[in-house]
Amino acid sequence: MNALDLVRTAVSHTFRSKLRTTLTVLALFVGAFTLTLTTALGAGVSDYVAKQVASLGADDVLLISAGTGTATDAGPQPYDPATSTASGGPANPLTGGGALTPQDISALEGIDGLRDVSPVSAVAVDWIQGPGSQKYEFAIAPTSSIARADLVAGSQLDAEATENQITLPLDDVEPLGWADPGDAVGARVELGFTDVLGGPHTIEATVVGVSNTSLLTAGAGANAALVDAIAAEQRAGSSAPERFQVAVASFDPNASADDVRDLKDRVADAGMTAQTIQDQLGIVQTVIGGITGVLNAFAVIALLAAAFGIINTLLMSVQERTREIGLMKAMGMSNGRVFALFSIEAAIIGVLGSVLGVVVAVLVGLPLNAALAQGPLSGLAGLDLLLFQPQGMLGVVALIVVIAFLAGTLPARRASLKSPIDALRYE
């Protein structure tokens, strides 16, 4: 009996007891259905978080601010008059306290391992006005010039452009006079702001992109040219020294965790705080991973229960086919062939249950995803709660087939070890 004959025989034997096979397949279906949905949930949330993290900057970037804060140690930090601010809220970078100075930037440039240190000027915009719209309050995210927005339309900010560019949050499009995000791309808007002496100023900028609202950064995006232009006019006439809200510095993307920790320590020794993107994300990823892990655990429990169902099904099949097994052995079938026959039956059950579970999960998940996006999750633009990825679905099928195959090894081994004479005498 060649391999093809083994498969054909296994398929016919699998459906010999249709009810028993169907119940076993349904047990695997429950596990596959649950695991597919939880895998899609984890992929969807992870994809959304990745887009949100991208709005903070690259993985090989440190965001550096004034004061040692909680850069290296947990818990309250000792008060240092040289680095601590007197107020409990955010300091005003235009007036000095809690901001970075040119001397701080020079100190950062002198730290070995930091490169491309770029200060980010602090700007405060009072309002924005689109074509024919009224004025609306407006804010620019501090690190938007280095971030990558989760775009709905348009393109990313050009860090090298001399033209004033902004990216608008999706929620701002309609109030500013556009019916569609694509209509806003390329349009000109007017921004109003006040200098340190109280004088009003306006400046124009071009909308280059529209982004989904970010949970991790507040405000619109502005390129370096626009930020520098606003900062220069806001400081015009002021004798106060130049101050920066944050500084951005890159490091070797291949640096180890110890190397990055050492960089943070050296920045802290200089009286400043350095954070990576992962630091800013904090416990969010841990919580997401924990929730997904718990849901996956329930799916695995269902699969283990199904595995016992496979063992029971095949053991009963071995018992019922004892004389048949004896006859096959008497005709020359080897122990290995008998073992393979029952193992293939188990794998076929695994394929049926897993494929059915994955297909039904997708058929249920896609409309559910659309309903959630238009209903309870409509405020989280860009979130596909259930993201079905081909590699994830194939992984679920492969996992269940392996579990089914392993579950079938015990009955298959028992069948392969039966004596032909004893099997033929079995009543």
Tab-separated table of all heavy atoms in Angstrom, residues 67-68 77-87 97-98 271:
chain	number	residue	atom	x	y	z
A	67	GLY	N	15.256	68.027	33.304
A	67	GLY	CA	14.987	67.415	34.606
A	67	GLY	C	15.168	65.921	34.552
A	67	GLY	O	14.916	65.278	33.538
A	68	THR	N	15.625	65.334	35.639
A	68	THR	CA	15.885	63.903	35.671
A	68	THR	C	14.609	63.101	35.825
A	68	THR	O	14.541	61.947	35.451
A	68	THR	CB	16.838	63.540	36.826
A	68	THR	OG1	16.312	64.063	38.037
A	68	THR	CG2	18.197	64.131	36.577
A	77	GLN	N	11.755	61.150	43.085
A	77	GLN	CA	13.152	61.515	42.915
A	77	GLN	C	13.518	62.658	43.866
A	77	GLN	O	12.693	63.517	44.178
A	77	GLN	CB	13.398	61.954	41.462
A	77	GLN	CG	13.056	60.878	40.438
A	77	GLN	CD	13.918	59.645	40.616
A	77	GLN	OE1	15.135	59.728	40.600
A	77	GLN	NE2	13.279	58.495	40.792
A	78	PRO	N	14.759	62.697	44.330
A	78	PRO	CA	15.193	63.774	45.229
A	78	PRO	C	15.071	65.135	44.552
A	78	PRO	O	15.278	65.255	43.338
A	78	PRO	CB	16.665	63.433	45.501
A	78	PRO	CG	16.791	61.982	45.191
A	78	PRO	CD	15.816	61.720	44.086
A	79	TYR	N	14.731	66.128	45.327
A	79	TYR	CA	14.611	67.486	44.802
A	79	TYR	C	15.993	68.079	44.571
A	79	TYR	O	16.877	67.996	45.418
A	79	TYR	CB	13.832	68.369	45.785
A	79	TYR	CG	13.808	69.825	45.386
A	79	TYR	CD1	12.975	70.254	44.368
A	79	TYR	CD2	14.633	70.755	46.023
A	79	TYR	CE1	12.944	71.578	43.982
A	79	TYR	CE2	14.609	72.090	45.648
A	79	TYR	CZ	13.766	72.495	44.622
A	79	TYR	OH	13.759	73.810	44.249
A	80	ASP	N	16.188	68.651	43.385
A	80	ASP	CA	17.441	69.308	43.038
A	80	ASP	C	17.097	70.673	42.474
A	80	ASP	O	16.506	70.776	41.402
A	80	ASP	CB	18.217	68.484	42.021
A	80	ASP	CG	19.580	69.100	41.701
A	80	ASP	OD1	19.828	70.252	42.111
A	80	ASP	OD2	20.380	68.424	41.028
A	81	PRO	N	17.439	71.770	43.179
A	81	PRO	CA	17.086	73.114	42.694
A	81	PRO	C	17.607	73.404	41.298
A	81	PRO	O	17.047	74.221	40.575
A	81	PRO	CB	17.726	74.041	43.731
A	81	PRO	CG	17.895	73.199	44.949
A	81	PRO	CD	18.154	71.809	44.453
A	82	ALA	N	18.677	72.709	40.903
A	82	ALA	CA	19.266	72.989	39.596
A	82	ALA	C	18.466	72.390	38.450
A	82	ALA	O	18.545	72.858	37.311
A	82	ALA	CB	20.698	72.458	39.543
A	83	THR	N	17.705	71.339	38.746
A	83	THR	CA	16.995	70.651	37.658
A	83	THR	C	15.503	70.559	37.869
A	83	THR	O	14.772	70.245	36.923
A	83	THR	CB	17.543	69.219	37.495
A	83	THR	OG1	17.361	68.502	38.722
A	83	THR	CG2	19.012	69.222	37.122
A	84	SER	N	15.000	70.768	39.081
A	84	SER	CA	13.572	70.623	39.350
A	84	SER	C	12.850	71.937	39.118
A	84	SER	O	13.396	73.015	39.333
A	84	SER	CB	13.340	70.159	40.794
A	84	SER	OG	13.968	68.923	41.018
A	85	THR	N	11.569	71.831	38.685
A	85	THR	CA	10.759	73.026	38.480
A	85	THR	C	9.949	73.307	39.730
A	85	THR	O	9.595	72.411	40.483
A	85	THR	CB	9.809	72.846	37.294
A	85	THR	OG1	8.986	71.715	37.559
A	85	THR	CG2	10.576	72.614	36.006
A	86	ALA	N	9.644	74.567	39.927
A	86	ALA	CA	8.930	74.953	41.144
A	86	ALA	C	7.457	74.633	41.059
A	86	ALA	O	6.799	74.388	42.061
A	86	ALA	CB	9.115	76.451	41.390
A	87	SER	N	6.891	74.607	39.879
A	87	SER	CA	5.454	74.389	39.745
A	87	SER	C	5.143	72.921	39.598
A	87	SER	O	5.971	72.128	39.193
A	87	SER	CB	4.923	75.152	38.514
A	87	SER	OG	5.498	74.630	37.349
A	97	GLY	N	11.734	77.887	32.793
A	97	GLY	CA	11.700	76.774	33.719
A	97	GLY	C	11.297	75.471	33.073
A	97	GLY	O	10.317	75.399	32.366
A	98	GLY	N	12.083	74.410	33.323
A	98	GLY	CA	11.754	73.093	32.827
A	98	GLY	C	12.034	72.888	31.351
A	98	GLY	O	11.642	71.881	30.802
A	271	GLY	N	21.531	65.919	33.935
A	271	GLY	CA	20.380	66.662	34.450
A	271	GLY	C	19.168	66.639	33.556
A	271	GLY	O	18.301	67.513	33.658
